[in-house]
Amino acid sequence: MIFSKVSERNRVIIAVVLFVVLFGVMLTMASLYDLDVSKILTKGVLEDGNYLASDVFGVGLEIFGSSPVYIIAGVCLALVCLYIFRFLKLRPMREILAVIFFAGTVVAFWFFFDDIFKYIAEHTHSEDTYIEAAMTFVAVLCALLASGTVVLALNNVKDDTLKKLMKFVLAFIVMAALANLIVAIVKGPVGRMRFRAMNSSGDTEFSGFTAWYVMNGKRTPTAEEMAAYGWASDAFKSFPSGHTCAAGMTYALMMLPDVLKIKNKQARALCWIFPVVFTGLVAVSRIMVGAHYFSDVLVGGTLAFVSMLIAREIFVCKFSHFMCFKKDYVPAIEDDAE
């Protein structure tokens, strides 16, 4: 028992130290070589004088990279809708709340499709009012279809599994809110100019570049700059990367093995490998298209990961990784019958 206590404590300490050291080393490298990395990765992808890249890989992940936050949010809201309909006995409150959360599911998937169409329109330069209205209409139809499909698919989930998944839902809400709130708060005051904004303005010396830790203050491009250089309204919101943070919402999948007591090693590994690979690909693509620097995507992805760890400890692990530091800690014995 004493060995178990020491072993668990050491594992927590080693994991935290390794994470902090690795992040510190990568952030230091990013601080030194941010601009150099962008110059290398944008070469052959972002043409001189352009604000938007035309590379299939970069554009594809720009369109779909932020999708996870909306998809997982939609699934979570659908789970709550089903949970209320199955377990809340008070009527008509049950039906009213179920409809409200189903509407929330539709809204989440509408954001998903609308975001996709927005980026497609941006890259195809579709500014026609009728086309935009048609895209909005299609996005609503797709959202309704997707929401109905998800609810019907999840309706096969057993009652005990649905109850367990409520931990996942709560953890994801906290994770998504915390990470994206920090991104939204930080972007404005830092006011970091995007690489592609300098590229499209003809700033070959990249004089507008600033380090990630420099507080430039909130800056908004003028109408003249947007028209002359093709800038978007977020040309000065490079740090941290919201796209990478949204892609990092896939880290929520890492909580599923613990929530559902998944024993299969391949399934458990997939819940860890897929989020890391997907978030990494989105991070690289954001640098390639000149939307972000190395430090932007590093911090954006790390915010998502740390937020997941915090939410996991609160709702899934019940602070078990920190309880091992208590003198009277006794490791929990997992029930094989569960």
Side-chain angles (χ1 to χ4, degrees), residues 63-145:
I63 294 172
F64 295 101
S66 60
S67 298
V69 66
Y70 305 122
I71 295 174
I72 301 177
V75 172
C76 286
L77 289 167
L79 286 169
V80 175
C81 174
L82 289 172
Y83 182 86
I84 290 172
F85 199 78
R86 288 188 191 180
F87 301 112
L88 184 63
K89 303 302 181 183
L90 185 62
R91 305 183 67 177
M93 185 59 66
R94 181 184 71 176
E95 286 73 15
I96 294 173
L97 289 176
V99 169
I100 290 174
F101 278 97
F102 179 76
T105 304
V106 175
V107 171
F109 279 107
W110 177 80
F111 274 113
F112 164 59
F113 288 107
D114 184 66
D115 201 52
I116 290 174
F117 293 151
K118 179 187 71 176
Y119 281 111
I120 291 175
E122 183 179 39
H123 283 277
T124 56
H125 305 289
S126 300
E127 299 177 355
D128 187 277
T129 305
Y130 294 105
I131 293 178
E132 291 181 356
M135 284 185 171
T136 301
F137 179 72
V138 172
V140 172
L141 289 181
C142 290
L144 287 168
L145 180 62

Coordinates of all heavy atoms in Angstrom, one line a residue, residues 63-145:
I63 N -11.2 25.4 -43.2 CA -12.6 25.2 -43.3 C -13.2 24.3 -42.2 O -14.2 24.6 -41.6 CB -13.0 24.7 -44.7 CG1 -12.7 25.8 -45.8 CG2 -14.5 24.4 -44.7 CD1 -12.9 25.3 -47.2
F64 N -12.5 23.2 -42.0 CA -13.0 22.2 -41.0 C -12.3 22.1 -39.7 O -12.7 21.4 -38.8 CB -13.0 20.8 -41.7 CG -13.8 20.7 -42.9 CD1 -13.3 20.7 -44.2 CD2 -15.2 20.4 -42.8 CE1 -14.1 20.6 -45.3 CE2 -16.0 20.3 -43.9 CZ -15.5 20.4 -45.1
G65 N -11.2 22.9 -39.5 CA -10.4 22.8 -38.3 C -11.1 23.2 -37.0 O -10.8 22.6 -36.0
S66 N -12.0 24.1 -37.1 CA -12.7 24.6 -35.9 C -14.0 23.8 -35.6 O -14.7 24.1 -34.7 CB -13.0 26.1 -36.0 OG -13.8 26.4 -37.1
S67 N -14.3 22.8 -36.5 CA -15.5 22.1 -36.3 C -15.7 21.3 -35.0 O -16.9 21.3 -34.5 CB -15.7 21.1 -37.5 OG -15.7 21.8 -38.8
P68 N -14.7 20.7 -34.4 CA -14.9 19.9 -33.2 C -15.7 20.6 -32.1 O -16.5 20.0 -31.5 CB -13.5 19.6 -32.8 CG -12.7 19.6 -34.1 CD -13.3 20.7 -34.9
V69 N -15.4 21.9 -31.9 CA -16.1 22.5 -30.8 C -17.6 22.6 -31.0 O -18.4 22.4 -30.1 CB -15.6 24.0 -30.6 CG1 -15.9 24.9 -31.8 CG2 -16.1 24.6 -29.3
Y70 N -18.1 22.7 -32.2 CA -19.5 22.8 -32.5 C -20.1 21.4 -32.6 O -21.2 21.2 -32.1 CB -19.7 23.4 -33.9 CG -19.1 24.8 -34.0 CD1 -18.2 25.1 -35.0 CD2 -19.5 25.8 -33.1 CE1 -17.6 26.4 -35.1 CE2 -18.9 27.1 -33.2 CZ -18.0 27.4 -34.2 OH -17.4 28.6 -34.3
I71 N -19.4 20.4 -33.1 CA -19.9 19.0 -33.2 C -20.0 18.4 -31.8 O -21.1 17.9 -31.5 CB -18.9 18.2 -34.1 CG1 -18.9 18.7 -35.5 CG2 -19.4 16.7 -34.0 CD1 -17.9 17.9 -36.4
I72 N -19.0 18.5 -31.0 CA -19.1 18.0 -29.6 C -20.1 18.7 -28.8 O -20.9 18.1 -28.0 CB -17.7 18.0 -29.0 CG1 -16.7 17.2 -29.8 CG2 -17.8 17.4 -27.6 CD1 -15.3 17.3 -29.2
A73 N -20.2 20.0 -29.0 CA -21.3 20.8 -28.3 C -22.7 20.3 -28.7 O -23.6 20.1 -27.8 CB -21.1 22.3 -28.5
G74 N -22.9 20.0 -30.0 CA -24.1 19.6 -30.5 C -24.5 18.2 -29.9 O -25.6 17.9 -29.5
V75 N -23.5 17.3 -29.8 CA -23.7 16.0 -29.3 C -24.0 16.0 -27.8 O -24.9 15.3 -27.3 CB -22.5 15.1 -29.5 CG1 -22.6 13.7 -28.8 CG2 -22.3 14.8 -31.0
C76 N -23.3 16.9 -27.1 CA -23.6 17.1 -25.6 C -25.0 17.6 -25.4 O -25.6 17.1 -24.4 CB -22.5 18.0 -25.0 SG -20.9 17.3 -24.9
L77 N -25.4 18.5 -26.1 CA -26.8 19.1 -25.9 C -27.8 18.0 -26.3 O -28.9 18.0 -25.6 CB -26.9 20.3 -26.8 CG -26.2 21.6 -26.3 CD1 -26.2 22.6 -27.4 CD2 -26.7 22.1 -25.0
A78 N -27.5 17.2 -27.3 CA -28.5 16.1 -27.6 C -28.5 15.1 -26.5 O -29.6 14.6 -26.2 CB -28.0 15.4 -28.9
L79 N -27.4 14.8 -25.8 CA -27.4 13.9 -24.7 C -28.2 14.5 -23.5 O -28.9 13.7 -22.9 CB -25.9 13.7 -24.3 CG -25.1 12.8 -25.2 CD1 -23.6 12.8 -24.7 CD2 -25.6 11.3 -25.1
V80 N -28.1 15.7 -23.3 CA -28.9 16.4 -22.2 C -30.4 16.3 -22.6 O -31.2 16.0 -21.7 CB -28.5 17.8 -22.0 CG1 -29.4 18.5 -21.0 CG2 -27.0 17.9 -21.5
C81 N -30.7 16.5 -23.8 CA -32.1 16.4 -24.3 C -32.7 15.1 -24.0 O -33.8 14.9 -23.4 CB -32.1 16.7 -25.8 SG -33.8 16.5 -26.5
L82 N -31.9 14.0 -24.3 CA -32.4 12.6 -24.1 C -32.4 12.3 -22.6 O -33.3 11.6 -22.1 CB -31.4 11.7 -24.8 CG -31.5 11.6 -26.3 CD1 -30.4 10.8 -26.9 CD2 -32.9 11.1 -26.7
Y83 N -31.4 12.8 -21.8 CA -31.4 12.6 -20.4 C -32.7 13.2 -19.7 O -33.3 12.5 -18.9 CB -30.2 13.2 -19.8 CG -30.0 13.0 -18.3 CD1 -29.4 11.8 -17.8 CD2 -30.5 13.9 -17.4 CE1 -29.2 11.6 -16.5 CE2 -30.3 13.7 -16.0 CZ -29.7 12.6 -15.6 OH -29.6 12.3 -14.2
I84 N -33.0 14.4 -20.1 CA -34.2 15.0 -19.5 C -35.5 14.3 -19.9 O -36.3 14.0 -19.1 CB -34.3 16.5 -20.0 CG1 -33.2 17.3 -19.4 CG2 -35.7 17.1 -19.7 CD1 -33.1 18.7 -20.0
F85 N -35.6 13.8 -21.1 CA -36.8 13.2 -21.6 C -36.9 11.8 -20.9 O -38.1 11.3 -20.7 CB -36.7 13.0 -23.1 CG -38.0 12.7 -23.7 CD1 -39.0 13.7 -23.9 CD2 -38.4 11.4 -24.1 CE1 -40.2 13.5 -24.5 CE2 -39.7 11.1 -24.6 CZ -40.6 12.2 -24.8
R86 N -35.8 11.1 -20.6 CA -35.9 9.8 -20.0 C -36.1 9.9 -18.5 O -36.8 9.1 -17.9 CB -34.6 9.0 -20.3 CG -34.5 8.5 -21.7 CD -33.3 7.6 -21.8 NE -33.0 7.3 -23.2 CZ -32.0 6.5 -23.6 NH1 -31.3 5.9 -22.7 NH2 -31.8 6.3 -24.9
F87 N -35.5 10.8 -17.8 CA -35.4 10.7 -16.3 C -36.2 11.8 -15.6 O -36.4 11.7 -14.4 CB -33.9 10.8 -15.9 CG -33.1 9.6 -16.4 CD1 -32.1 9.9 -17.3 CD2 -33.4 8.3 -16.0 CE1 -31.4 8.8 -17.9 CE2 -32.6 7.3 -16.6 CZ -31.6 7.5 -17.5
L88 N -36.6 12.9 -16.3 CA -37.4 13.9 -15.6 C -38.8 13.5 -15.7 O -39.4 13.4 -16.8 CB -37.1 15.3 -16.3 CG -37.8 16.5 -15.6 CD1 -37.3 16.7 -14.2 CD2 -37.6 17.8 -16.5
K89 N -39.5 13.4 -14.6 CA -40.9 12.9 -14.5 C -41.9 14.0 -14.6 O -43.0 13.8 -14.9 CB -41.1 12.0 -13.3 CG -40.1 10.9 -13.2 CD -40.2 9.9 -14.4 CE -39.3 8.7 -14.2 NZ -39.3 7.8 -15.4
L90 N -41.4 15.2 -14.2 CA -42.3 16.4 -14.1 C -42.8 16.8 -15.5 O -41.9 17.2 -16.3 CB -41.7 17.5 -13.3 CG -42.5 18.7 -13.1 CD1 -43.7 18.4 -12.2 CD2 -41.7 19.8 -12.4
R91 N -44.0 16.8 -15.7 CA -44.6 17.2 -17.0 C -45.5 18.4 -16.8 O -46.1 18.5 -15.8 CB -45.4 16.1 -17.7 CG -44.6 14.8 -17.8 CD -45.4 13.7 -18.6 NE -45.6 14.0 -20.0 CZ -46.2 13.2 -20.8 NH1 -46.7 12.0 -20.4 NH2 -46.4 13.6 -22.0
P92 N -45.5 19.4 -17.7 CA -44.9 19.4 -19.1 C -43.5 19.9 -19.1 O -42.9 20.2 -20.1 CB -45.8 20.3 -19.9 CG -46.2 21.4 -18.8 CD -46.4 20.6 -17.5
M93 N -42.9 20.1 -17.9 CA -41.5 20.7 -17.8 C -40.5 19.8 -18.6 O -39.6 20.3 -19.2 CB -41.1 20.8 -16.3 CG -39.7 21.5 -16.2 SD -39.7 23.1 -16.8 CE -40.8 24.0 -15.7
R94 N -40.8 18.5 -18.5 CA -39.9 17.6 -19.3 C -39.9 17.9 -20.8 O -38.8 18.0 -21.4 CB -40.3 16.1 -19.1 CG -39.5 15.1 -19.8 CD -40.0 13.7 -19.6 NE -41.2 13.5 -20.4 CZ -41.9 12.3 -20.5 NH1 -41.5 11.3 -19.8 NH2 -43.0 12.2 -21.2
E95 N -41.0 18.0 -21.3 CA -41.1 18.3 -22.8 C -40.6 19.7 -23.1 O -39.9 19.8 -24.2 CB -42.6 18.2 -23.2 CG -43.2 16.8 -23.3 CD -43.4 16.2 -22.0 OE1 -43.5 16.9 -21.0 OE2 -43.6 14.9 -21.9
I96 N -40.8 20.6 -22.3 CA -40.3 22.0 -22.5 C -38.8 22.0 -22.5 O -38.2 22.6 -23.5 CB -40.9 23.0 -21.5 CG1 -42.4 23.1 -21.6 CG2 -40.2 24.4 -21.6 CD1 -43.1 23.9 -20.6
L97 N -38.2 21.4 -21.5 CA -36.7 21.4 -21.4 C -36.1 20.6 -22.5 O -35.1 21.0 -23.1 CB -36.3 20.9 -20.1 CG -36.5 21.8 -18.9 CD1 -36.2 21.1 -17.6 CD2 -35.8 23.1 -19.0
A98 N -36.7 19.5 -22.9 CA -36.2 18.7 -24.0 C -36.2 19.4 -25.3 O -35.3 19.4 -26.1 CB -37.1 17.4 -24.1
V99 N -37.3 20.2 -25.5 CA -37.4 21.0 -26.8 C -36.3 22.1 -26.8 O -35.6 22.4 -27.8 CB -38.8 21.6 -26.9 CG1 -38.8 22.7 -28.0 CG2 -39.8 20.6 -27.2
I100 N -36.1 22.7 -25.6 CA -35.1 23.8 -25.5 C -33.7 23.2 -25.8 O -32.9 23.8 -26.5 CB -35.1 24.4 -24.1 CG1 -36.4 25.2 -23.9 CG2 -33.9 25.3 -23.8 CD1 -36.6 25.8 -22.5
F101 N -33.3 22.1 -25.2 CA -32.0 21.5 -25.5 C -31.9 21.0 -26.9 O -30.8 21.0 -27.4 CB -31.7 20.4 -24.4 CG -31.2 21.0 -23.1 CD1 -32.0 21.2 -22.1 CD2 -29.9 21.4 -23.0 CE1 -31.6 21.8 -20.9 CE2 -29.4 22.0 -21.8 CZ -30.3 22.1 -20.8
F102 N -33.0 20.5 -27.5 CA -32.9 20.1 -28.9 C -32.7 21.3 -29.7 O -31.9 21.2 -30.7 CB -34.2 19.4 -29.3 CG -34.2 19.0 -30.8 CD1 -33.5 17.9 -31.2 CD2 -34.9 19.7 -31.7 CE1 -33.4 17.5 -32.5 CE2 -34.8 19.3 -33.1 CZ -34.1 18.2 -33.4
A103 N -33.3 22.4 -29.4 CA -33.1 23.7 -30.1 C -31.6 24.1 -30.0 O -31.0 24.6 -31.0 CB -34.0 24.8 -29.6
G104 N -31.0 23.9 -28.8 CA -29.6 24.2 -28.6 C -28.7 23.3 -29.5 O -27.7 23.7 -30.0
T105 N -29.1 22.0 -29.7 CA -28.4 21.1 -30.5 C -28.4 21.7 -32.0 O -27.4 21.6 -32.7 CB -29.1 19.7 -30.5 OG1 -29.1 19.3 -29.2 CG2 -28.3 18.7 -31.4
V106 N -29.6 22.1 -32.4 CA -29.7 22.7 -33.8 C -28.8 23.9 -33.9 O -28.2 24.1 -34.9 CB -31.2 23.0 -34.1 CG1 -31.3 23.7 -35.4 CG2 -32.1 21.8 -34.0
V107 N -28.8 24.8 -32.9 CA -28.0 26.0 -33.0 C -26.5 25.6 -33.1 O -25.8 26.2 -33.9 CB -28.2 26.9 -31.7 CG1 -27.2 28.0 -31.7 CG2 -29.6 27.4 -31.8
A108 N -26.1 24.6 -32.3 CA -24.7 24.2 -32.3 C -24.3 23.7 -33.7 O -23.2 24.0 -34.2 CB -24.4 23.1 -31.3
F109 N -25.2 22.9 -34.3 CA -24.8 22.3 -35.6 C -25.0 23.4 -36.7 O -24.3 23.4 -37.8 CB -25.7 21.1 -36.0 CG -25.2 19.9 -35.3 CD1 -25.9 19.3 -34.3 CD2 -24.1 19.2 -35.8 CE1 -25.4 18.1 -33.7 CE2 -23.6 18.1 -35.3 CZ -24.3 17.5 -34.2
W110 N -25.9 24.4 -36.4 CA -26.0 25.5 -37.4 C -24.6 26.3 -37.4 O -24.2 26.7 -38.5 CB -27.1 26.5 -37.0 CG -27.2 27.7 -37.9 CD1 -27.7 27.7 -39.2 CD2 -26.6 29.0 -37.7 NE1 -27.5 29.0 -39.7 CE2 -26.8 29.8 -38.8 CE3 -25.9 29.5 -36.6 CZ2 -26.4 31.1 -38.9 CZ3 -25.5 30.9 -36.7 CH2 -25.8 31.6 -37.9
F111 N -24.1 26.5 -36.2 CA -22.7 27.2 -36.2 C -21.7 26.4 -36.9 O -20.8 26.9 -37.6 CB -22.3 27.3 -34.7 CG -22.8 28.6 -34.1 CD1 -23.7 28.5 -33.0 CD2 -22.4 29.8 -34.5 CE1 -24.2 29.7 -32.4 CE2 -22.8 31.0 -33.9 CZ -23.7 30.9 -32.8
F112 N -21.8 25.0 -36.8 CA -20.9 24.2 -37.5 C -21.0 24.4 -39.0 O -20.0 24.6 -39.7 CB -21.2 22.7 -37.2 CG -20.6 21.7 -38.1 CD1 -19.2 21.6 -38.3 CD2 -21.4 20.8 -38.7 CE1 -18.6 20.7 -39.1 CE2 -20.8 19.8 -39.6 CZ -19.5 19.8 -39.8
F113 N -22.2 24.3 -39.6 CA -22.3 24.4 -41.0 C -22.1 25.9 -41.5 O -21.6 26.1 -42.6 CB -23.7 23.9 -41.5 CG -23.9 22.4 -41.4 CD1 -24.7 21.9 -40.4 CD2 -23.3 21.6 -42.3 CE1 -24.8 20.5 -40.3 CE2 -23.4 20.2 -42.2 CZ -24.2 19.7 -41.2
D114 N -22.6 26.8 -40.7 CA -22.4 28.2 -41.1 C -20.9 28.6 -41.1 O -20.5 29.3 -42.0 CB -23.2 29.1 -40.1 CG -23.1 30.6 -40.5 OD1 -23.7 30.9 -41.5 OD2 -22.5 31.4 -39.7
D115 N -20.2 28.0 -40.2 CA -18.7 28.3 -40.2 C -18.0 27.8 -41.4 O -17.2 28.4 -42.0 CB -18.1 27.6 -38.9 CG -16.8 28.3 -38.5 OD1 -16.7 29.5 -38.4 OD2 -15.8 27.5 -38.4
I116 N -18.5 26.6 -41.8 CA -17.9 25.9 -43.0 C -18.2 26.8 -44.3 O -17.4 27.1 -45.1 CB -18.5 24.5 -43.2 CG1 -17.9 23.6 -42.2 CG2 -18.2 24.0 -44.6 CD1 -18.5 22.2 -42.2
F117 N -19.5 27.2 -44.4 CA -19.9 28.0 -45.6 C -19.3 29.3 -45.6 O -19.0 29.9 -46.6 CB -21.4 28.1 -45.6 CG -22.2 26.8 -45.8 CD1 -23.5 26.6 -45.3 CD2 -21.6 25.8 -46.6 CE1 -24.1 25.4 -45.5 CE2 -22.3 24.6 -46.8 CZ -23.5 24.5 -46.3
K118 N -19.0 29.9 -44.4 CA -18.4 31.2 -44.3 C -17.0 31.2 -44.9 O -16.6 32.0 -45.6 CB -18.3 31.7 -42.8 CG -17.6 33.0 -42.6 CD -17.5 33.3 -41.1 CE -16.4 32.4 -40.5 NZ -16.1 32.7 -39.1
Y119 N -16.2 30.1 -44.5 CA -14.8 30.0 -45.0 C -14.8 29.7 -46.5 O -13.9 30.1 -47.2 CB -14.1 28.9 -44.2 CG -13.6 29.4 -42.9 CD1 -14.1 28.9 -41.7 CD2 -12.6 30.4 -42.8 CE1 -13.7 29.4 -40.5 CE2 -12.2 30.9 -41.5 CZ -12.7 30.4 -40.4 OH -12.3 30.8 -39.2
I120 N -15.8 28.9 -46.9 CA -15.9 28.6 -48.4 C -16.2 29.9 -49.2 O -15.5 30.1 -50.2 CB -17.0 27.5 -48.6 CG1 -16.6 26.2 -48.1 CG2 -17.3 27.4 -50.1 CD1 -17.7 25.1 -48.2
A121 N -17.1 30.7 -48.6 CA -17.4 31.9 -49.3 C -16.2 32.9 -49.3 O -16.0 33.6 -50.3 CB -18.6 32.6 -48.6
E122 N -15.5 32.9 -48.2 CA -14.3 33.7 -48.1 C -13.2 33.4 -49.2 O -12.6 34.2 -49.8 CB -13.7 33.7 -46.7 CG -12.5 34.6 -46.5 CD -11.9 34.5 -45.1 OE1 -11.8 33.4 -44.6 OE2 -11.5 35.5 -44.6
H123 N -13.0 32.1 -49.4 CA -12.0 31.6 -50.3 C -12.5 31.6 -51.8 O -11.6 31.7 -52.7 CB -11.5 30.2 -49.9 CG -10.6 30.2 -48.8 ND1 -9.2 30.4 -48.9 CD2 -10.8 30.0 -47.4 CE1 -8.7 30.3 -47.7 NE2 -9.6 30.1 -46.8
T124 N -13.8 31.6 -52.0 CA -14.3 31.7 -53.3 C -14.7 33.1 -53.7 O -15.2 33.3 -54.8 CB -15.5 30.7 -53.5 OG1 -16.5 31.0 -52.6 CG2 -15.1 29.3 -53.4
H125 N -14.6 34.0 -52.7 CA -14.9 35.5 -52.9 C -16.4 35.6 -53.3 O -16.7 36.4 -54.2 CB -14.0 36.1 -54.0 CG -12.5 35.9 -53.7 ND1 -11.9 36.6 -52.7 CD2 -11.6 35.1 -54.3 CE1 -10.6 36.2 -52.7 NE2 -10.4 35.3 -53.6
S126 N -17.2 34.8 -52.7 CA -18.7 34.9 -53.0 C -19.3 35.9 -52.0 O -19.5 35.7 -50.8 CB -19.3 33.5 -52.8 OG -18.8 32.6 -53.6
E127 N -19.6 37.1 -52.6 CA -20.1 38.2 -51.7 C -21.5 38.6 -52.2 O -22.1 39.5 -51.7 CB -19.2 39.4 -51.8 CG -17.8 39.2 -51.3 CD -16.9 40.4 -51.5 OE1 -17.4 41.4 -52.1 OE2 -15.7 40.3 -51.0
D128 N -22.1 37.7 -53.0 CA -23.5 38.0 -53.5 C -24.5 37.8 -52.4 O -24.4 36.8 -51.7 CB -23.8 37.1 -54.7 CG -25.1 37.4 -55.3 OD1 -26.2 37.0 -54.8 OD2 -25.1 38.1 -56.3
T129 N -25.4 38.7 -52.2 CA -26.4 38.6 -51.1 C -27.2 37.4 -51.2 O -27.6 36.8 -50.2 CB -27.2 39.9 -51.1 OG1 -26.4 41.1 -51.0 CG2 -28.2 39.9 -49.9
Y130 N -27.6 37.1 -52.4 CA -28.5 35.9 -52.6 C -27.8 34.6 -52.3 O -28.4 33.7 -51.8 CB -29.1 35.9 -54.1 CG -30.0 37.1 -54.4 CD1 -29.5 38.2 -55.2 CD2 -31.3 37.1 -53.9 CE1 -30.3 39.2 -55.5 CE2 -32.1 38.2 -54.2 CZ -31.6 39.3 -55.0 OH -32.5 40.3 -55.2
I131 N -26.5 34.6 -52.7 CA -25.8 33.3 -52.4 C -25.6 33.2 -50.8 O -25.7 32.1 -50.3 CB -24.4 33.4 -53.0 CG1 -24.5 33.4 -54.6 CG2 -23.5 32.3 -52.5 CD1 -23.2 33.5 -55.3
E132 N -25.3 34.3 -50.1 CA -25.2 34.2 -48.7 C -26.5 33.8 -48.0 O -26.5 33.0 -47.1 CB -24.8 35.6 -48.2 CG -23.4 36.0 -48.5 CD -23.0 37.4 -48.0 OE1 -23.9 38.0 -47.4 OE2 -21.9 37.8 -48.1
A133 N -27.7 34.3 -48.6 CA -29.0 33.9 -48.0 C -29.2 32.4 -48.3 O -29.7 31.7 -47.4 CB -30.1 34.8 -48.7
A134 N -28.8 32.0 -49.5 CA -29.0 30.6 -49.8 C -28.2 29.7 -48.9 O -28.6 28.6 -48.4 CB -28.7 30.3 -51.3
M135 N -26.9 30.1 -48.6 CA -26.1 29.4 -47.7 C -26.6 29.3 -46.3 O -26.5 28.2 -45.7 CB -24.7 30.0 -47.7 CG -23.8 29.7 -48.9 SD -22.1 30.4 -48.8 CE -21.4 29.6 -50.2
T136 N -27.2 30.4 -45.8 CA -27.8 30.4 -44.5 C -29.0 29.4 -44.4 O -29.1 28.7 -43.5 CB -28.3 31.8 -44.2 OG1 -27.2 32.7 -44.2 CG2 -28.9 31.9 -42.8
F137 N -29.8 29.4 -45.5 CA -30.9 28.5 -45.5 C -30.5 27.1 -45.6 O -31.0 26.2 -44.8 CB -31.8 28.8 -46.8 CG -33.0 27.9 -47.0 CD1 -34.1 28.1 -46.1 CD2 -33.0 26.9 -47.9 CE1 -35.2 27.3 -46.3 CE2 -34.1 26.1 -48.1 CZ -35.2 26.3 -47.2
V138 N -29.5 26.8 -46.3 CA -28.9 25.4 -46.4 C -28.3 25.0 -45.1 O -28.5 23.9 -44.6 CB -27.9 25.3 -47.5 CG1 -27.2 23.9 -47.5 CG2 -28.5 25.5 -48.9
A139 N -27.6 25.9 -44.4 CA -27.0 25.7 -43.1 C -28.1 25.3 -42.1 O -27.9 24.4 -41.3 CB -26.2 26.9 -42.6
V140 N -29.2 26.0 -42.1 CA -30.3 25.7 -41.2 C -30.9 24.3 -41.5 O -31.1 23.5 -40.5 CB -31.5 26.7 -41.3 CG1 -32.7 26.3 -40.5 CG2 -31.0 28.1 -40.9
L141 N -31.1 24.0 -42.7 CA -31.6 22.6 -43.1 C -30.7 21.5 -42.7 O -31.1 20.5 -42.1 CB -31.9 22.6 -44.6 CG -33.1 23.4 -45.2 CD1 -33.2 23.1 -46.7 CD2 -34.4 22.9 -44.5
C142 N -29.4 21.8 -43.0 CA -28.4 20.8 -42.6 C -28.3 20.6 -41.1 O -28.1 19.5 -40.6 CB -27.0 21.2 -43.1 SG -26.8 21.1 -44.9
A143 N -28.5 21.7 -40.3 CA -28.4 21.6 -38.9 C -29.6 20.8 -38.3 O -29.4 20.0 -37.4 CB -28.4 23.1 -38.3
L144 N -30.8 21.1 -38.9 CA -32.0 20.3 -38.5 C -31.8 18.8 -38.8 O -32.1 18.0 -37.9 CB -33.2 20.8 -39.2 CG -33.7 22.2 -38.7 CD1 -34.8 22.7 -39.7 CD2 -34.3 22.1 -37.3
L145 N -31.3 18.5 -40.0 CA -31.1 17.1 -40.3 C -30.0 16.4 -39.4 O -30.2 15.3 -39.0 CB -30.6 17.0 -41.8 CG -30.4 15.6 -42.4 CD1 -31.6 14.8 -42.3 CD2 -29.9 15.7 -43.8

